[in-house]
Amino acid sequence: MTADLDATFAALADPTRRAILARLAAGEATVTELAAPFAMSQPAVSKHLRVLERAGLVSRGRDGQRRPCRLEARPLRQATAWLADYRDYWAESYQRLDALLDELRDAGDGVP
């Protein structure tokens, strides 16, 4: 699972790849359709797609002559689950900090 997370986060590190995933969240698209909003060539977009495919975030199908790309949710679910543990940790930390600030305020130590 660690290698999967590493690949997912490495793929998500690039803003172009995140934009491609955001577009694919709306539905399937071809490389030509994915390249349209970017100031880059189709081969450059294809390189980004290969990174996303290796991470399992994108798959390509075949529909006659079309090779539509689609978003694959499993790696994103794994990354979200991993991040949720840290979200819980930080929420608990903030709750402890709030409690400490309340104690200091109640003790009259000059904390506003």
Side-chain angles (χ1 to χ4, degrees):
M1 177 148 153
T2 299
D4 292 341
L5 280 175
D6 291 348
T8 298
F9 285 121
L12 293 173
D14 184 272
T16 300
R17 291 192 286 267
R18 291 192 304 270
I20 290 170
L21 290 177
R23 166 55 188 87
L24 290 174
E28 292 182 350
T30 63
V31 175
T32 303
E33 293 166 339
L34 292 171
F38 299 106
M40 65 177 67
S41 65
Q42 284 185 3
V45 170
S46 290
K47 287 182 182 181
H48 284 293
L49 284 169
R50 281 194 293 279
V51 172
L52 292 167
E53 282 182 290
R54 281 194 300 270
L57 292 162
V58 168
S59 63
R60 293 192 204 204
R62 186 172 294 279
D63 182 17
Q65 295 288 7
R66 290 181 74 234
R67 297 236 16 218
C69 301
R70 71 182 55 85
L71 178 66
E72 297 295 337
R74 184 189 52 78
L76 292 174
R77 279 194 300 268
Q78 290 174 336
T80 300
W82 184 83
L83 289 168
D85 292 338
Y86 290 93
R87 182 186 61 224
D88 295 344
Y89 167 78
W90 285 110
E92 290 173 15
S93 295
Y94 287 129
Q95 288 173 356
R96 287 193 306 273
L97 180 59
D98 286 342
L100 176 61
L101 289 173
D102 288 343
E103 284 178 32
L104 292 173
R105 199 172 301 118
D106 291 344
D109 289 338
V111 176

